[in-house]
Amino acid sequence: MAAKRILLIIGGGIAAYKSIELVRLLRKSGHVVRCVLTRAGEQFVTPLTLAALSENKVYTSLFDLKDEVEMGHIQLSREADLVVVAPATADLLAKMAGGQADDLATTLLLATDKPVLAAPAMNVRMWLHAATQRNVAILRGDGVTVLEPDEGEMACGEYGPGRLPEPEAIFAAIEKALTGAPAASLLDGQPDFSEANHRPLHGRRILITAGPTHEPIDPVRYIANRSSGKQGFAIAAAAAEAGAEVLLIAGPVPLPTPPGVIRVDVETAREMAAEVEQGLPVDAAIMVAAVADWRAADTAAQKIKKDGSGAVPPLALAENPDILAGVARSPQRPALLIGFAAETNDVIAHAEAKLARKGCDWIVANDVSADPMGGETNRVHIVTPEGVDSWDRLSKDAVARKLMEKIADELDTRAPPESTHDAD
Ligand code: CTP
Protein backbone atom coordinates (compact mmCIF):
# COMPACT_ATOMS: atom_id res chain seq x y z
CA MET A 1 0.00 0.00 0.00
CA ALA A 2 1.22 3.52 -0.76
CA ALA A 3 2.42 5.50 2.24
CA LYS A 4 -0.37 7.34 4.01
CA ARG A 5 -0.48 9.95 6.74
CA ILE A 6 -1.77 8.88 10.12
CA LEU A 7 -2.64 11.24 12.93
CA LEU A 8 -2.37 9.11 16.07
CA ILE A 9 -4.06 10.41 19.21
CA ILE A 10 -2.86 8.65 22.33
CA GLY A 11 -5.15 8.78 25.34
CA GLY A 12 -4.20 8.13 28.94
CA GLY A 13 -4.16 4.57 30.20
CA ILE A 14 -1.79 1.80 31.01
CA ALA A 15 -2.26 0.48 27.44
CA ALA A 16 -0.66 3.64 26.01
CA TYR A 17 2.66 1.80 25.92
CA LYS A 18 1.23 -0.34 23.10
CA SER A 19 0.91 2.78 20.96
CA ILE A 20 4.70 2.86 20.82
CA GLU A 21 4.72 -0.50 19.03
CA LEU A 22 1.89 0.72 16.80
CA VAL A 23 3.98 3.73 15.73
CA ARG A 24 6.87 1.39 14.95
CA LEU A 25 4.68 -0.87 12.79
CA LEU A 26 3.22 2.10 10.91
CA ARG A 27 6.64 3.61 10.24
CA LYS A 28 8.02 0.25 9.15
CA SER A 29 5.37 0.12 6.46
CA GLY A 30 6.35 3.58 5.29
CA HIS A 31 3.40 5.52 6.70
CA VAL A 32 3.94 9.03 8.00
CA VAL A 33 2.84 9.30 11.62
CA ARG A 34 2.12 12.42 13.63
CA CYS A 35 1.36 11.80 17.30
CA VAL A 36 -0.83 13.81 19.62
CA LEU A 37 -0.63 13.00 23.32
CA THR A 38 -3.43 13.91 25.69
CA ARG A 39 -2.44 15.29 29.06
CA ALA A 40 -3.32 11.92 30.63
CA GLY A 41 -1.43 10.09 27.86
CA GLU A 42 1.70 12.01 28.83
CA GLN A 43 1.61 10.22 32.19
CA PHE A 44 2.21 6.90 30.42
CA VAL A 45 4.43 7.61 27.41
CA THR A 46 6.77 10.50 26.77
CA PRO A 47 6.67 12.87 23.79
CA LEU A 48 10.39 12.15 23.35
CA THR A 49 9.87 8.41 22.78
CA LEU A 50 7.10 9.08 20.29
CA ALA A 51 9.07 11.80 18.50
CA ALA A 52 12.05 9.46 18.13
CA LEU A 53 9.93 6.61 16.78
CA SER A 54 7.64 8.65 14.57
CA GLU A 55 10.56 10.86 13.47
CA ASN A 56 8.09 13.68 13.75
CA LYS A 57 7.14 16.44 16.12
CA VAL A 58 4.72 15.35 18.86
CA TYR A 59 1.88 17.65 19.81
CA THR A 60 0.57 17.81 23.35
CA SER A 61 -1.37 21.04 23.63
CA LEU A 62 -3.12 23.60 21.50
CA PHE A 63 -0.24 25.92 22.29
CA ASP A 64 2.19 23.64 20.42
CA LEU A 65 0.62 24.95 17.26
CA LYS A 66 2.59 28.14 16.96
CA ASP A 67 0.70 28.91 13.81
CA GLU A 68 -2.65 28.63 15.57
CA VAL A 69 -3.62 32.02 14.15
CA GLU A 70 -3.37 30.25 10.79
CA MET A 71 -5.84 27.60 12.04
CA GLY A 72 -3.02 25.17 12.76
CA HIS A 73 -5.30 22.62 14.43
CA ILE A 74 -7.53 22.50 11.37
CA GLN A 75 -4.53 21.74 9.15
CA LEU A 76 -3.19 19.14 11.56
CA SER A 77 -6.53 17.34 11.63
CA ARG A 78 -6.97 17.42 7.86
CA GLU A 79 -3.56 16.73 6.44
CA ALA A 80 -3.95 13.12 7.66
CA ASP A 81 -5.55 10.34 5.63
CA LEU A 82 -6.80 8.70 8.80
CA VAL A 83 -7.14 9.77 12.43
CA VAL A 84 -6.51 6.95 14.91
CA VAL A 85 -7.32 7.12 18.62
CA ALA A 86 -5.39 4.45 20.55
CA PRO A 87 -5.93 3.94 23.35
CA ALA A 88 -9.36 5.52 23.33
CA THR A 89 -10.28 5.87 26.98
CA ALA A 90 -13.86 5.97 28.28
CA ASP A 91 -13.39 9.69 28.81
CA LEU A 92 -12.14 10.31 25.26
CA LEU A 93 -14.99 8.28 23.76
CA ALA A 94 -17.48 10.27 25.86
CA LYS A 95 -16.01 13.56 24.73
CA MET A 96 -15.97 12.44 21.11
CA ALA A 97 -19.59 11.32 21.29
CA GLY A 98 -20.58 14.59 22.95
CA GLY A 99 -18.65 16.74 20.48
CA GLN A 100 -16.56 18.33 23.20
CA ALA A 101 -13.37 20.16 22.28
CA ASP A 102 -11.55 21.25 25.40
CA ASP A 103 -8.00 20.20 24.53
CA LEU A 104 -5.88 19.57 21.43
CA ALA A 105 -6.92 15.93 20.93
CA THR A 106 -10.67 16.57 21.15
CA THR A 107 -10.39 19.75 19.09
CA LEU A 108 -8.66 17.81 16.31
CA LEU A 109 -11.28 15.09 16.47
CA LEU A 110 -14.05 17.63 16.11
CA ALA A 111 -12.29 19.57 13.35
CA THR A 112 -11.28 16.66 11.16
CA ASP A 113 -13.03 15.76 7.93
CA LYS A 114 -11.11 12.47 7.66
CA PRO A 115 -12.13 8.94 8.73
CA VAL A 116 -11.59 8.20 12.42
CA LEU A 117 -10.73 4.83 13.94
CA ALA A 118 -10.81 4.34 17.72
CA ALA A 119 -9.29 1.44 19.65
CA PRO A 120 -10.86 1.47 23.12
CA ALA A 121 -9.05 0.45 26.30
CA MET A 122 -10.51 0.62 29.76
CA ASN A 123 -11.62 -1.37 32.76
CA VAL A 124 -14.26 -4.01 31.97
CA ARG A 125 -16.97 -2.32 34.08
CA MET A 126 -16.29 0.98 32.37
CA TRP A 127 -16.53 -0.67 28.94
CA LEU A 128 -19.76 -2.46 29.78
CA HIS A 129 -21.30 0.61 31.42
CA ALA A 130 -24.45 1.79 29.67
CA ALA A 131 -22.94 5.26 29.19
CA THR A 132 -19.89 3.92 27.36
CA GLN A 133 -21.97 1.56 25.25
CA ARG A 134 -24.28 4.47 24.38
CA ASN A 135 -21.27 6.60 23.41
CA VAL A 136 -19.85 3.82 21.23
CA ALA A 137 -23.22 3.43 19.49
CA ILE A 138 -23.37 7.19 18.87
CA LEU A 139 -19.84 7.22 17.46
CA ARG A 140 -20.50 4.25 15.18
CA GLY A 141 -23.68 5.97 14.03
CA ASP A 142 -21.54 9.02 13.22
CA GLY A 143 -19.29 6.87 11.03
CA VAL A 144 -16.40 6.38 13.46
CA THR A 145 -14.85 2.90 13.35
CA VAL A 146 -14.75 1.74 16.97
CA LEU A 147 -12.84 -1.53 17.35
CA GLU A 148 -14.00 -4.13 19.84
CA PRO A 149 -11.61 -4.30 22.77
CA ASP A 150 -9.85 -7.58 23.55
CA GLU A 151 -11.03 -9.80 26.35
CA GLY A 152 -8.68 -10.99 29.05
CA GLU A 153 -7.09 -10.19 32.35
CA MET A 154 -6.76 -6.49 32.94
CA ALA A 155 -3.99 -4.50 34.57
CA CYS A 156 -6.42 -3.84 37.42
CA GLY A 157 -6.84 -7.60 38.06
CA GLU A 158 -10.39 -7.92 36.69
CA TYR A 159 -11.27 -10.10 33.71
CA GLY A 160 -13.39 -9.33 30.67
CA PRO A 161 -13.58 -7.11 27.57
CA GLY A 162 -11.73 -3.79 27.75
CA ARG A 163 -8.11 -4.55 26.87
CA LEU A 164 -6.59 -2.56 24.03
CA PRO A 165 -6.34 -4.79 20.93
CA GLU A 166 -2.76 -5.85 20.18
CA PRO A 167 -0.79 -3.35 18.04
CA GLU A 168 -0.75 -5.83 15.13
CA ALA A 169 -4.56 -5.99 15.22
CA ILE A 170 -4.90 -2.20 15.32
CA PHE A 171 -2.37 -1.96 12.50
CA ALA A 172 -4.43 -4.40 10.40
CA ALA A 173 -7.59 -2.38 11.08
CA ILE A 174 -5.76 0.79 10.04
CA GLU A 175 -4.60 -0.78 6.76
CA LYS A 176 -8.17 -1.89 6.10
CA ALA A 177 -9.55 1.57 6.85
CA LEU A 178 -6.91 3.16 4.62
CA THR A 179 -7.81 1.01 1.65
CA GLY A 180 -11.15 2.74 1.50
CA ALA A 181 -9.84 6.19 2.44
CA PRO A 182 -9.00 8.62 -0.32
CA ALA A 183 -5.49 10.08 -0.01
CA ALA A 184 -5.47 13.47 1.67
CA SER A 185 -4.45 16.23 -0.61
CA LEU A 186 -2.15 18.91 0.74
CA LEU A 187 -4.89 21.30 -0.17
CA ASP A 188 -7.87 19.49 1.31
CA GLY A 189 -10.29 22.00 2.69
CA GLN A 190 -9.16 24.69 0.30
CA PRO A 191 -11.53 26.07 -2.31
CA ASP A 192 -11.44 24.39 -5.70
CA PHE A 193 -11.43 26.79 -8.60
CA SER A 194 -13.35 25.77 -11.67
CA GLU A 195 -10.59 26.98 -13.95
CA ALA A 196 -8.03 25.09 -11.86
CA ASN A 197 -7.33 22.41 -14.47
CA HIS A 198 -6.12 25.02 -16.90
CA ARG A 199 -3.59 26.64 -14.61
CA PRO A 200 0.05 25.95 -15.55
CA LEU A 201 0.99 24.16 -12.33
CA HIS A 202 -2.27 22.28 -11.82
CA GLY A 203 -1.55 18.85 -10.32
CA ARG A 204 2.00 19.78 -9.34
CA ARG A 205 3.37 19.68 -5.81
CA ILE A 206 5.90 22.31 -4.91
CA LEU A 207 7.90 22.59 -1.71
CA ILE A 208 9.37 25.96 -0.75
CA THR A 209 11.61 26.94 2.14
CA ALA A 210 11.66 30.57 3.20
CA GLY A 211 12.90 32.99 5.83
CA PRO A 212 15.84 32.71 8.18
CA THR A 213 16.47 30.07 10.80
CA HIS A 214 17.06 30.85 14.45
CA GLU A 215 19.69 28.79 16.22
CA PRO A 216 19.37 29.02 20.01
CA ILE A 217 22.38 29.80 22.20
CA ASP A 218 20.38 29.76 25.43
CA PRO A 219 16.67 30.22 26.19
CA VAL A 220 16.79 33.95 25.36
CA ARG A 221 19.47 34.32 22.67
CA TYR A 222 19.86 32.98 19.16
CA ILE A 223 21.97 33.22 16.01
CA ALA A 224 20.00 34.58 13.05
CA ASN A 225 20.32 36.51 9.79
CA ARG A 226 18.51 39.35 8.06
CA SER A 227 16.30 37.27 5.75
CA SER A 228 12.77 38.72 5.67
CA GLY A 229 11.14 35.72 4.00
CA LYS A 230 9.41 38.05 1.50
CA GLN A 231 10.82 36.46 -1.67
CA GLY A 232 10.06 32.92 -0.49
CA PHE A 233 6.50 33.85 0.53
CA ALA A 234 5.97 35.63 -2.81
CA ILE A 235 7.10 32.45 -4.59
CA ALA A 236 4.72 30.34 -2.50
CA ALA A 237 1.86 32.72 -3.35
CA ALA A 238 2.70 32.65 -7.07
CA ALA A 239 2.95 28.84 -7.08
CA ALA A 240 -0.50 28.54 -5.46
CA GLU A 241 -1.95 31.07 -7.91
CA ALA A 242 -0.52 28.97 -10.73
CA GLY A 243 -2.51 26.00 -9.43
CA ALA A 244 0.18 24.02 -7.56
CA GLU A 245 -0.24 22.32 -4.20
CA VAL A 246 2.23 24.31 -2.15
CA LEU A 247 4.00 23.31 1.04
CA LEU A 248 5.82 26.27 2.56
CA ILE A 249 8.34 25.50 5.29
CA ALA A 250 8.97 28.81 6.94
CA GLY A 251 11.53 30.02 9.42
CA PRO A 252 10.44 32.60 12.01
CA VAL A 253 8.94 35.51 10.07
CA PRO A 254 5.83 37.56 10.86
CA LEU A 255 4.34 37.22 7.37
CA PRO A 256 0.78 36.07 6.64
CA THR A 257 0.33 32.71 4.92
CA PRO A 258 -0.54 33.24 1.24
CA PRO A 259 -3.98 31.90 0.24
CA GLY A 260 -4.07 28.22 -0.68
CA VAL A 261 -0.63 27.51 0.80
CA ILE A 262 0.03 24.91 3.49
CA ARG A 263 2.56 26.38 5.90
CA VAL A 264 4.72 24.62 8.46
CA ASP A 265 6.62 26.90 10.82
CA VAL A 266 10.07 25.90 12.02
CA GLU A 267 12.77 27.60 14.00
CA THR A 268 16.08 25.86 13.44
CA ALA A 269 17.91 24.46 10.41
CA ARG A 270 17.57 20.96 11.78
CA GLU A 271 13.79 21.35 12.18
CA MET A 272 13.63 22.72 8.63
CA ALA A 273 15.64 19.77 7.31
CA ALA A 274 13.27 17.31 9.02
CA GLU A 275 10.13 19.01 7.67
CA VAL A 276 11.60 19.16 4.17
CA GLU A 277 12.34 15.44 4.24
CA GLN A 278 8.83 14.83 5.50
CA GLY A 279 7.40 16.95 2.67
CA LEU A 280 8.94 14.88 -0.14
CA PRO A 281 8.13 13.66 -2.74
CA VAL A 282 7.30 16.78 -4.73
CA ASP A 283 7.68 17.80 -8.37
CA ALA A 284 9.81 20.83 -7.62
CA ALA A 285 11.56 22.19 -4.54
CA ILE A 286 12.64 25.80 -4.27
CA MET A 287 14.97 26.47 -1.39
CA VAL A 288 14.72 30.17 -0.72
CA ALA A 289 15.47 30.03 3.01
CA ALA A 290 18.59 31.68 4.35
CA VAL A 291 19.53 28.70 6.47
CA ALA A 292 22.04 29.48 9.22
CA ASP A 293 25.27 27.71 8.30
CA TRP A 294 26.18 27.19 11.94
CA ARG A 295 24.42 26.62 15.23
CA ALA A 296 25.71 26.81 18.79
CA ALA A 297 27.45 23.50 19.45
CA ASP A 298 25.78 23.37 22.87
CA THR A 299 22.57 25.12 23.79
CA ALA A 300 22.61 26.27 27.41
CA ALA A 301 19.53 25.18 29.34
CA GLN A 302 19.63 28.38 31.43
CA LYS A 303 20.33 31.95 30.42
CA ILE A 304 24.11 32.46 30.29
CA LYS A 305 25.04 35.07 32.92
CA LYS A 306 27.97 37.47 33.17
CA ASP A 307 30.23 36.35 36.00
CA GLY A 308 31.52 39.85 36.73
CA SER A 309 35.09 39.10 35.71
CA GLY A 310 34.75 40.56 32.22
CA ALA A 311 35.52 37.14 30.73
CA VAL A 312 33.60 36.41 27.53
CA PRO A 313 31.80 33.05 27.35
CA PRO A 314 33.17 30.75 24.66
CA LEU A 315 30.73 30.17 21.78
CA ALA A 316 31.58 26.96 19.97
CA LEU A 317 29.72 26.43 16.68
CA ALA A 318 28.66 23.29 14.85
CA GLU A 319 27.80 23.10 11.15
CA ASN A 320 24.15 22.74 10.21
CA PRO A 321 22.96 20.18 7.66
CA ASP A 322 22.91 21.50 4.10
CA ILE A 323 19.24 20.98 3.33
CA LEU A 324 19.50 21.70 -0.40
CA ALA A 325 22.46 19.37 -0.90
CA GLY A 326 20.65 16.71 1.16
CA VAL A 327 17.57 16.89 -1.08
CA ALA A 328 19.82 16.71 -4.17
CA ARG A 329 21.26 13.41 -2.88
CA SER A 330 17.91 12.04 -1.71
CA PRO A 331 16.32 9.06 -3.50
CA GLN A 332 13.22 11.30 -3.55
CA ARG A 333 15.02 14.13 -5.36
CA PRO A 334 12.41 16.27 -7.12
CA ALA A 335 12.47 16.52 -10.92
CA LEU A 336 13.40 20.17 -10.53
CA LEU A 337 15.52 21.39 -7.62
CA ILE A 338 16.24 25.09 -7.28
CA GLY A 339 18.54 26.89 -4.86
CA PHE A 340 18.87 30.59 -4.09
CA ALA A 341 22.10 32.44 -3.50
CA ALA A 342 22.36 35.92 -2.04
CA GLU A 343 25.85 37.13 -2.84
CA THR A 344 27.70 40.38 -2.27
CA ASN A 345 30.45 39.90 -4.89
CA ASP A 346 31.26 37.80 -7.97
CA VAL A 347 27.59 36.87 -8.05
CA ILE A 348 27.57 34.66 -11.16
CA ALA A 349 30.85 32.90 -10.41
CA HIS A 350 29.73 32.08 -6.88
CA ALA A 351 26.36 30.89 -8.15
CA GLU A 352 27.96 28.62 -10.74
CA ALA A 353 30.20 27.10 -8.09
CA LYS A 354 27.18 26.64 -5.80
CA LEU A 355 25.19 24.93 -8.56
CA ALA A 356 27.87 22.29 -8.93
CA ARG A 357 28.55 21.96 -5.19
CA LYS A 358 24.91 21.56 -4.17
CA GLY A 359 23.83 19.31 -7.03
CA CYS A 360 20.74 21.35 -7.87
CA ASP A 361 19.33 22.25 -11.31
CA TRP A 362 19.14 26.02 -11.07
CA ILE A 363 20.52 28.68 -8.78
CA VAL A 364 18.60 31.92 -8.56
CA ALA A 365 21.37 34.36 -7.68
CA ASN A 366 20.82 37.88 -6.46
CA ASP A 367 23.27 40.63 -5.69
CA VAL A 368 22.62 41.87 -2.18
CA SER A 369 25.63 44.21 -2.02
CA ALA A 370 23.60 47.37 -2.79
CA ASP A 371 20.18 46.26 -1.56
CA PRO A 372 20.46 44.00 1.46
CA MET A 373 17.84 41.42 2.38
CA GLY A 374 14.43 42.74 3.34
CA GLY A 375 13.83 45.05 0.35
CA GLU A 376 10.86 44.89 -2.00
CA THR A 377 12.73 44.20 -5.25
CA ASN A 378 15.27 41.76 -6.59
CA ARG A 379 17.57 41.63 -9.58
CA VAL A 380 18.12 37.95 -10.18
CA HIS A 381 20.20 35.78 -12.50
CA ILE A 382 18.96 32.27 -13.21
CA VAL A 383 22.11 30.18 -13.37
CA THR A 384 21.74 26.76 -14.99
CA PRO A 385 24.23 24.32 -16.55
CA GLU A 386 23.06 25.73 -19.93
CA GLY A 387 23.90 29.34 -19.10
CA VAL A 388 22.79 32.46 -17.28
CA ASP A 389 19.49 34.27 -17.75
CA SER A 390 19.68 37.75 -16.16
CA TRP A 391 16.40 39.49 -15.40
CA ASP A 392 15.78 43.21 -14.87
CA ARG A 393 15.23 44.48 -11.36
CA LEU A 394 11.64 43.50 -10.52
CA SER A 395 9.35 43.47 -7.50
CA LYS A 396 9.64 40.26 -5.50
CA ASP A 397 6.08 39.36 -6.60
CA ALA A 398 7.04 39.80 -10.26
CA VAL A 399 10.20 37.70 -9.79
CA ALA A 400 8.01 35.01 -8.24
CA ARG A 401 5.47 34.99 -11.08
CA LYS A 402 8.15 34.96 -13.78
CA LEU A 403 9.90 32.12 -11.98
CA MET A 404 6.66 30.12 -11.87
CA GLU A 405 6.25 30.46 -15.65
CA LYS A 406 9.77 29.16 -16.14
CA ILE A 407 9.23 26.33 -13.67
CA ALA A 408 5.94 25.27 -15.32
CA ASP A 409 7.66 25.11 -18.73
CA GLU A 410 10.61 23.19 -17.33
CA LEU A 411 8.42 20.68 -15.46
CA ASP A 412 6.46 19.99 -18.63
CA THR A 413 9.73 18.87 -20.25
CA ARG A 414 11.27 17.08 -17.28
CA ALA A 415 8.25 15.38 -15.72
CA PRO A 416 5.05 15.33 -17.77
CA PRO A 417 2.08 15.59 -15.38
CA GLU A 418 0.65 12.13 -16.09
CA SER A 419 3.82 10.44 -14.77
CA THR A 420 3.45 11.95 -11.29
CA HIS A 421 1.40 11.54 -8.12
CA ASP A 422 0.48 7.90 -8.10
CA ALA A 423 1.71 7.77 -4.53
CA ASP A 424 1.29 10.07 -1.61
N1 CTP B 1 20.91 26.01 1.97
C1 CTP B 1 20.37 24.93 2.61
N2 CTP B 1 20.90 24.50 3.79
C2 CTP B 1 21.96 25.12 4.34
C3 CTP B 1 22.53 26.23 3.70
C4 CTP B 1 21.97 26.66 2.51
O1 CTP B 1 19.41 24.36 2.10
N3 CTP B 1 22.45 24.68 5.50
C5 CTP B 1 20.35 26.43 0.68
C6 CTP B 1 19.68 27.78 0.70
O2 CTP B 1 18.30 27.68 0.99
C7 CTP B 1 19.92 28.27 -0.72
C8 CTP B 1 21.25 27.64 -1.10
O3 CTP B 1 21.42 26.54 -0.21
O4 CTP B 1 18.96 27.77 -1.61
C9 CTP B 1 22.43 28.54 -1.01
O5 CTP B 1 22.48 29.10 0.27
P1 CTP B 1 23.78 29.90 0.71
O6 CTP B 1 23.61 30.33 2.14
O7 CTP B 1 24.06 30.96 -0.31
O8 CTP B 1 24.83 28.73 0.55
P2 CTP B 1 25.98 28.27 1.46
O9 CTP B 1 26.18 26.82 1.21
O10 CTP B 1 25.73 28.67 2.84
O11 CTP B 1 27.21 29.03 0.81
P3 CTP B 1 28.09 30.24 1.34
O12 CTP B 1 27.69 30.52 2.76
O13 CTP B 1 29.46 29.72 1.20
O14 CTP B 1 27.78 31.35 0.40
Side-chain angles (χ1 to χ4, degrees):
M1 146 171 309
K4 294 283 172 77
R5 303 179 201 201
I6 315 289
L7 182 68
L8 175 61
I9 295 176
I10 299 163
I14 191 77
Y17 75 91
K18 289 189 189 171
S19 59
I20 294 173
E21 178 60 12
L22 180 60
V23 173
R24 211 185 56 75
L25 290 171
L26 290 166
R27 289 291 298 133
K28 214 170 118 198
S29 333
H31 297 309
V32 175
V33 185
R34 279 196 198 267
C35 296
V36 172
L37 256 179
T38 65
R39 193 184 295 249
E42 270 188 274
Q43 306 299 316
F44 295 93
V45 286
T46 69
L48 204 63
T49 309
L50 293 168
L53 279 175
S54 66
E55 297 168 86
N56 230 328
K57 184 174 165 160
V58 174
Y59 300 84
T60 54
S61 84
L62 273 169
F63 303 104
D64 285 346
L65 298 168
K66 280 185 246 156
D67 50 345
E68 197 53 27
V69 276
E70 308 294 343
M71 303 294 277
H73 63 280
I74 303 280
Q75 280 173 19
L76 190 58
S77 72
R78 295 190 187 166
E79 78 178 8
D81 294 293
L82 180 71
V83 181
V84 177
V85 190
T89 58
D91 178 57
L92 256 177
L93 291 174
K95 284 182 168 156
M96 285 165 73
Q100 284 187 36
D102 61 357
D103 63 3
L104 178 62
T106 48
T107 303
L108 294 173
L109 284 160
L110 201 59
T112 191
D113 58 356
K114 293 293 163 8
V116 178
L117 181 148
M122 67 200 74
N123 166 276
V124 55
R125 295 283 146 229
M126 291 168 81
W127 172 251
L128 294 174
H129 196 285
T132 303
Q133 290 303 310
R134 195 165 55 236
N135 290 332
V136 169
I138 289 173
L139 287 168
R140 286 182 175 150
D142 290 347
V144 174
T145 304
V146 183
L147 303 183
E148 283 300 319
D150 275 1
E151 196 165 322
E153 197 171 344
M154 322 215 74
C156 53
E158 289 187 76
Y159 188 93
R163 286 165 53 103
L164 185 72
E166 290 306 316
E168 291 76 13
I170 303 176
F171 174 75
I174 289 174
E175 293 267 282
K176 191 166 164 234
L178 284 173
T179 324
S185 154
L186 282 172
L187 284 184
D188 267 3
Q190 304 292 337
D192 194 14
F193 299 102
S194 49
E195 81 281 15
N197 295 356
H198 308 297
R199 289 187 288 171
L201 287 170
H202 172 73
R204 301 294 195 180
R205 289 184 181 190
I206 301 204
L207 181 152
I208 295 156
T209 66
T213 62
H214 285 182
E215 309 295 333
I217 297 170
D218 69 15
V220 295
R221 304 180 178 95
Y222 56 81
I223 300 169
N225 59 62
R226 293 186 191 279
S227 167
S228 67
K230 283 180 194 164
Q231 185 65 80
F233 274 60
I235 288 171
E241 272 169 28
E245 291 186 355
V246 183
L247 179 61
L248 171 64
I249 300 171
V253 282
L255 293 175
T257 308
V261 167
I262 300 294
R263 170 180 184 174
V264 177
D265 281 328
V266 296
E267 201 166 316
T268 66
R270 287 190 291 179
E271 285 169 14
M272 187 174 274
E275 290 295 345
V276 166
E277 198 187 334
Q278 189 78 54
L280 299 177
V282 291
D283 297 290
I286 315 168
M287 314 303 245
V288 198
V291 184
D293 290 320
W294 301 284
R295 64 177 181 275
D298 301 296
T299 305
Q302 310 288 346
K303 183 181 171 191
I304 301 168
K305 305 290 286 178
K306 291 195 285 277
D307 65 6
S309 72
V312 180
L315 180 60
L317 298 176
E319 192 168 316
N320 269 330
D322 190 317
I323 305 170
L324 175 58
V327 173
R329 286 192 304 267
S330 158
Q332 306 205 86
R333 185 195 194 281
L336 185 58
L337 180 59
I338 303 173
F340 262 67
E343 306 286 356
T344 54
N345 59 300
D346 302 323
V347 178
I348 307 281
H350 277 139
E352 281 169 345
K354 224 164 251 183
L355 187 72
R357 197 172 74 230
K358 306 258 184 181
C360 56
D361 301 305
W362 302 348
I363 287 278
V364 180
N366 59 330
D367 186 342
V368 291
S369 56
D371 179 22
M373 293 160 153
E376 299 301 328
T377 62
N378 247 342
R379 175 163 158 67
V380 303
H381 312 270
I382 316 292
V383 180
T384 72
E386 286 74 48
V388 180
D389 185 5
S390 293
W391 295 352
D392 293 337
R393 178 166 291 282
L394 297 168
S395 73
K396 288 185 174 175
D397 288 340
V399 168
R401 282 196 290 270
K402 202 163 149 106
L403 192 60
M404 278 315 129
E405 281 169 26
K406 197 171 165 79
I407 288 173
D409 289 348
E410 188 68 25
L411 279 177
D412 285 344
T413 0
R414 287 181 186 235
E418 50 280 5
S419 69
T420 56
H421 313 310
D422 47 357
D424 188 60

